[in-house]
Each structure stands twice: as C-alpha cells, then as structure tokens.
C-alpha cells in the first residue's frame, strides 16, 4: 500500500489522510488501495431574510445542533420551555438545552459554551426573572458574542415580559440589576456586559407571549419558522457541495413509498467511497420531519450490539443524555422510545446482521413496536444483509457512479474550487477522470492532492498514475 502511494503521489502525504465515509477507498477495475410571517406590535419574524454565516465554514456539518435553547429553569422549565423543546424535537429540530444534572457553579459550564458555538440558532426565552440568574446572563452574553463573530441567528421570545422592560432594565429586571450591582461591586465590567446584552437582544425581532396570545400558538409558529429556516440552510449547503446528489436522493425516495402506511425497510448498496453514507444522511435530513422519532447511527460495523443500541437511543431528539449498561435495558428503552410511532431510523455502514437483529420485526423489539408508515434505511457494502429483513430486490438501491460530467465538476471543485479549470488544465483534468472511475471519494482525493499544484506537477502526477496502472496490469504489485 505505501509503495503504491509513493509511486502515485511521490513523497506527499496528503493523499494518505483522505479517507472515505466508511474508512477505505475503492478504485474500480484496479487493485484497491484500501482506503409564516407574524406581527405583534413592534415585533416581526421574517425567516426568508435569515442569512446564517458561520465564521469558520459555510458547511452545516460544522453545526452539531440546530437550536440552542436559553431559558431560566425556575420560570419556564415545566411550562413554556418544556413544551417548546418537545415540539421542536417532534418536528426534527435537533435542540440543545441544559439539564438538571449539568454541573452548576459560579461560572457557566464549558459544555454550554461549546453547545452555543455548535448551534445554528439560539432561541432565548426571556421570562420575568431571567435577569436574576447570572448563569443565564453569562449564557446570553456568549450567545451575542457568537452572533458577532460568526453570525449565529438569535431569536428572542418575550415570555410575559415587555421588551421595553428588558431594554430599559426596569421592573423585575431593574431589581435584579440592583442586586447584581451590590454582588459584583468590584466587577462593573461584567455587569455592564450583561446590561448591554439585554439591551441588544430586546431590539431583535422575536415573539411575544401575552395573555391574549396563547403559548401553544406561539410554540407552533416558532417551530414552523425554525424548521423551515433550518431546512433551507441545510438544502442550500447541500446544493453547493454535493454534486449529482439530487437524482440519487429521488431514487431512494421512490423506494420509500412515503405515502404508504406499510412498514418498510430500504437498502442502499455500493462499494466503499461511492457515497452511501452521504446519500443516506441527505435523505434522512430531507424527510425526517415526517416522522417522530427519527434517528441515525453511523459506522454501525464498528460497534458492539450494546454500543449500537446506546447510539441509536441517543440519536432520537431529546435523548442525548441517556445511559444504560445492558442490551436488555437498551431494548426496553428502545421499545419505549418507538411506542408504535411512525419512526425513521437510518443505519449506516452495516456489515453484520447480528448487530441490528433486534430491529427485525418479531425479534426482541416485538411485532407491534413499529408504528404504521415507519421506515428503516440500511446502507451496506454487503447485499446479504437485507436478506434477513426480507427486503425485495426492487427496494435496494445500488448507488450509481458519477457521470463523466459530474466527475469532471467534482474534480474541478476540489482542485480549483470552481466548476471549470483554467484553460491550461482542461486536458489534464479530463485525463485524470479515468483513474477515479466515477467514485466520488476518488475524485475528492485526487482533486485535494492536485489543489495548488502547477501544470508541471499535474503532468508528473499523471505520469505516475500511468506508470502505476501499467504495473498493476503486469501484476508487479
């Protein structure tokens, strides 16, 4: 393998760092080197104008959570916030909120800081006593810092409190700061930072919960708006990065029969590097709001049955802190989570039926656990996996290789960050296509290695590929 890489890429080590979603790279025909708008008084929400702009990258893959939920627990945990959290998760919005068992101290938990930084949106429930909590105020200050640095979208909910009270810091907010001024007499900078954060957030567009406007109505509206915004951002990101994906998504969706009340299992099959994992995730994100609950587990082949069950239960929205230490306990928790619901589960990279046997109808999970309309999607390199689930051949999609046009576009995107290369690279770019054979990962590896190199370097690498191909044909490697 190392000899092959040295012939192909010389002394550069960049190629050896490129792996596919399943851990190895397969070259075809060659030896495989493993490898709704709402207005209330002065407030308005208009999501079509949202533009999220993370500082480090435009890719939504850098976000772990769709929403970070900030609130004062004593005010709203068992009322508005709980109902909002549950509604968002039921609609496929991956929401982070702190739990009672998080360590509490004088400073905000690093776990919360990290969760804020890894979220696309922050929904802040500003309740009557929000400002009495220094924890909440630190959280708010960090949220606004993330808005300034990377464009985190901040969405306030004024829960039975007037924005003017927050902006001017009168009423309960004024009393809270009178206490903070005494407690932090030697740290006026911190108190001023909190004051500014509250003044800023009070000026943002948001929702107003009042006696005249029911919590349920506001919760449904927030969920709808956030869900649409998250979906647009994710689709926009995918359209920019995933070449040839739309037609393949439609192929999978045509086999899912989403209109049917049947319980169906679908297979996505193909060699390593062909894009099974990426395709499965894109389908999951596109349809998950039609199911509750929905979950996705990656790299199943690397997990024990116990770890698989833990990861599957944790993948369901709202179950991030779940723990158990036996398979039997995991089965019971999974039965409770599914409870005859319309479920979507995606299992990526399965190579042993025994890992997922518990999900088979009639097995330990039981016959009636799956609700009507549920879907199970399994990706694998091994076609025999679906035999155990009695999946008919027409329900298994073999992922197609890239067309020449798609392959050329992907190589150019990785090498030049645009769809067409400079004139002097056109012929060379086309010559490289034969060695990647329509496998997305292979084109990504080649394009990444070629990026920034001049024409002479491209010619040299192409020569090495020609040489390598000859050696492989002669059986010398």
């Amino acid at each position: 393998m190392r000899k092959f890489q040295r012939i192909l890429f010389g002394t550069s080590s960049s190629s050896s760092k490129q792996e596919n979603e399943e851990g190895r790279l397969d070259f075809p025909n060659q030896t495989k080197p493993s490898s709704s708008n709402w207005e209330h008084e002065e407030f308005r929400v208009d999501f079509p104008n949202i533009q999220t702009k993370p500082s480090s990258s435009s890719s939504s893959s850098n976000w772990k959570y769709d929403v970070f939920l900030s609130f004062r627990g004593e005010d709203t945990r068992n009322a508005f916030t709980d109902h909002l959290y549950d509604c968002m998760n039921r609609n496929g919005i991956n929401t982070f909120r702190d739990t009672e068992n998080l360590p509490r101290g004088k400073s905000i938990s690093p776990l919360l800081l990290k969760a804020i930084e890894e979220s696309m949106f922050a929904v802040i429930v500003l309740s009557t006593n929000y400002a009495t909590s220094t924890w909440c105020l630190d959280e708010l200050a960090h949220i606004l810092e993330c808005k300034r640095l990377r464009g985190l979208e901040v969405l306030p909910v004024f829960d039975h409190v007037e924005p003017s009270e927050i902006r001017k810091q009168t009423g309960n907010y004024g009393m809270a700061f009178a206490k903070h001024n005494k407690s932090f007499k030697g740290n006026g900078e911190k108190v001023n930072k909190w004051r500014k954060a509250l003044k800023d957030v009070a000026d943002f567009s948001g929702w107003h919960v009042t006696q005249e406007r029911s919590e349920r109505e506001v919760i449904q509206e927030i969920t709808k708006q956030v869900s649409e915004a998250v979906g647009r951002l994710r689709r926009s990101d995918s359209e920019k990065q995933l070449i040839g994906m739309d037609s393949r998504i439609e192929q999978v969706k045509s086999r899912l029969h989403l209109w049917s009340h049947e319980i169906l299992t679908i297979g996505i099959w193909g060699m390593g590097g062909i894009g099974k994992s990426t395709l499965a995730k894109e389908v999951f994100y596109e349809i998950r709001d039609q199911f509750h609950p929905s979950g996705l587990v990656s790299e199943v082949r690397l997990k024990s049955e116990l770890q698989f069950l833990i990861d599957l239960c944790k993948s369901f929205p709202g179950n991030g802190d779940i723990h158990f230490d036996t398979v039997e306990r995991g089965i019971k928790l999974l039965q409770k989570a599914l409870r005859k619901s319309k479920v979507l589960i995606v299992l990526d990279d399965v190579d042993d039926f025994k890992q997922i046997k518990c999900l088979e109808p009639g097995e330990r999970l039981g016959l009636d656990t799956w609700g009507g309309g549920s879907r199970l999607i399994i990706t694998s390199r091994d076609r025999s996996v679906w035999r155990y689930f009695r999946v008919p051949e027409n329900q298994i999609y073999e992922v197609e290789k890239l067309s020449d046009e798609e392959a050329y576009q992907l190589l150019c995107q990785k090498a030049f960050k645009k769809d067409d290369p400079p004139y002097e690279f056109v012929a060379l770019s086309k010559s490289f296509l034969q060695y990647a054979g329509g496998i997305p990962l292979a084109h990504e590896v080649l394009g990444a290695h070629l990026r920034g190199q001049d024409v002479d370097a491209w010619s040299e690498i192409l020569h090495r590929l020609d040489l390598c191909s000859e050696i492989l044909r002669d059986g010398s490697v």
Side-chain angles (χ1 to χ4, degrees):
M1 171 60 186
R2 294 190 182 277
K3 179 180 178 182
F4 182 91
Q5 289 179 327
R6 286 197 299 270
I7 293 172
L8 193 58
F9 297 127
T11 58
S12 172
S13 61
S14 61
S15 63
S16 63
K17 296 178 182 178
Q18 304 291 333
E19 294 183 349
N20 69 353
E21 68 244 57
E22 298 134 331
R24 74 170 185 254
L25 168 63
D26 290 347
F27 278 78
N29 306 319
Q30 306 229 12
T31 296
K32 300 172 183 175
S34 92
S35 95
S36 77
N37 290 351
W38 173 73
E39 297 182 25
H40 178 85
E41 299 176 347
E42 61 186 301
F43 315 108
R44 178 181 180 87
V45 177
D46 193 352
F47 272 82
N49 291 326
I50 284 181
Q51 292 187 8
T52 300
K53 44 184 182 303
S55 62
S56 59
S57 170
S58 62
S59 173
S60 62
S61 62
N62 292 316
W63 296 315
K64 185 175 181 180
Y65 306 102
D66 297 330
V67 171
F68 179 91
L69 189 56
S70 175
F71 62 99
R72 187 178 184 276
E74 292 180 20
D75 283 359
T76 68
R77 183 183 295 279
N78 297 316
F80 181 85
T81 298
D82 266 1
H83 302 151
L84 175 60
Y85 176 78
D86 289 342
C87 188
M88 287 198 293
N89 278 314
R90 283 198 307 272
N91 283 271
I93 301 169
N94 186 16
T95 307
F96 180 96
R97 67 169 178 179
D98 66 326
T99 56
E100 298 286 2
N101 59 352
L102 279 177
R104 291 275 173 172
K106 295 182 179 179
S107 320
I108 187 170
S109 161
L111 175 63
L112 290 186
L113 296 177
K114 191 170 189 294
I116 292 168
E117 293 159 6
E118 294 178 334
S119 299
M120 277 195 279
F121 297 89
V123 174
I124 306 169
V125 183
L126 295 155
S127 53
T128 304
N129 297 306
Y130 186 91
T132 63
S133 169
T134 58
W135 182 284
C136 288
L137 291 173
D138 280 339
E139 199 171 87
L140 176 62
H142 193 67
I143 287 171
L144 293 188
E145 183 69 4
C146 287
K147 175 179 175 60
R148 183 181 69 83
L149 292 176
R150 69 167 185 84
L152 172 66
E153 286 294 336
V154 179
L155 309 172
V157 180
F158 303 99
D159 186 18
H160 295 95
V161 62
E162 293 297 327
S164 60
E165 180 181 327
I166 299 172
R167 186 185 304 113
K168 298 175 183 178
Q169 284 144 39
T170 58
N172 284 354
Y173 279 72
M175 289 187 285
F177 272 96
K179 292 181 180 179
H180 295 327
N181 286 334
K182 292 179 181 179
S183 301
F184 297 90
K185 197 169 183 179
N187 196 350
E189 184 179 348
K190 176 184 278 287
V191 175
N192 288 335
K193 185 177 182 180
W194 293 340
R195 285 185 179 276
K196 184 179 186 306
L198 284 169
K199 288 177 182 178
D200 289 345
V201 77
D203 287 331
F204 295 162
S205 297
W207 292 267
H208 200 181
V209 182
T210 65
Q211 295 295 337
E212 292 75 31
R213 188 162 169 79
S214 71
E215 291 186 355
R216 180 179 180 182
E217 183 182 355
V218 172
I219 286 170
Q220 290 176 341
E221 188 172 291
I222 293 171
T223 302
K224 180 177 183 293
Q225 298 282 14
V226 172
S227 180
E228 289 175 353
V230 169
R232 273 196 305 274
L233 288 169
R234 186 174 288 118
R235 285 193 299 273
S236 174
D237 186 57
S238 296
E239 288 166 3
K240 291 176 184 176
Q241 297 189 35
L242 302 176
I243 295 167
M245 187 58 64
D246 287 349
S247 62
R248 290 158 179 83
I249 290 174
E250 291 306 313
Q251 287 282 355
V252 175
K253 287 172 65 177
S254 70
R255 290 164 171 80
L256 285 168
H257 299 164
L258 295 172
W259 44 267
S260 172
H261 196 64
E262 287 184 274
I263 301 170
L264 297 176
T265 300
I266 306 300
I268 299 177
W269 175 62
M271 66 174 70
I274 196 68
K276 300 184 299 298
S277 298
T278 303
L279 175 57
K281 289 174 184 177
E282 289 302 310
V283 171
F284 174 76
Y285 290 130
E286 185 163 320
I287 68 173
R288 67 177 183 175
D289 59 350
Q290 301 178 44
F291 301 84
H292 177 72
S294 61
L296 183 151
V297 183
S298 299
E299 298 183 318
V300 175
R301 66 184 174 88
L302 303 179
K303 307 178 192 297
S304 64
E305 185 178 11
L306 175 60
Q307 189 59 53
F308 161 66
L309 285 170
I310 291 172
D311 290 351
L312 178 56
C313 288
K314 282 186 174 183
S315 73
F316 297 143
N319 286 347
D321 58 350
I322 198 168
H323 295 285
F324 50 85
D325 54 11
T326 67
V327 170
E328 290 69 25
R329 175 63 176 159
I331 295 292
K332 290 180 180 179
L333 287 173
L334 190 55
Q335 287 173 324
K336 183 179 178 181
L338 301 184
R339 60 181 182 280
K340 297 184 180 181
S341 300
K342 182 181 177 181
V343 182
L344 171 63
I345 295 177
V346 174
L347 306 181
D348 177 46
D349 197 11
V350 176
D351 68 352
D352 186 349
F353 170 70
K354 293 178 183 178
Q355 297 169 292
I356 60 174
K357 194 178 191 312
C358 62
L359 295 180
E360 184 185 14
E363 284 296 324
R364 285 175 291 174
L365 203 57
L367 282 169
D368 302 321
T369 302
W370 295 84
S374 293
R375 298 293 182 266
L376 173 62
I377 301 175
I378 303 171
T379 81
S380 180
R381 304 179 194 184
D382 184 357
R383 204 175 181 99
S384 67
V385 167
W386 296 289
R387 249 186 264 138
Y388 296 97
F389 281 82
R390 296 177 290 280
V391 180
E393 287 293 317
N394 62 0
Q395 291 301 99
I396 301 173
Y397 172 59
E398 180 180 0
V399 183
E400 304 162 22
K401 295 178 181 179
L402 297 173
S403 67
D404 288 345
E405 182 180 354
E406 291 168 340
Y408 183 71
Q409 184 182 357
L410 179 56
L411 179 68
C412 293
Q413 282 283 359
K414 294 301 176 180
F416 305 105
K417 297 187 177 181
K418 55 185 180 180
D419 292 343
D420 296 296
Y423 175 78
E424 62 271 24
F425 288 91
V426 171
L428 283 167
S429 296
K430 292 179 179 179
S431 297
F432 276 104
L433 299 184
Q434 61 180 308
Y435 292 107
I439 308 301
L441 180 67
H443 292 276
E444 291 181 3
V445 170
L446 281 171
H449 184 78
L450 293 166
R451 186 186 305 142
Q453 309 250 30
D454 59 23
V455 171
D456 289 340
W458 277 55
S459 298
E460 177 61 24
I461 293 171
L462 182 61
H463 172 70
R464 290 174 182 168
L465 278 167
D466 292 336
L467 176 61
C468 185
S469 179
E470 291 176 10
I471 293 173
L472 289 172
R473 283 198 300 268
D474 293 342
S476 302
V477 175

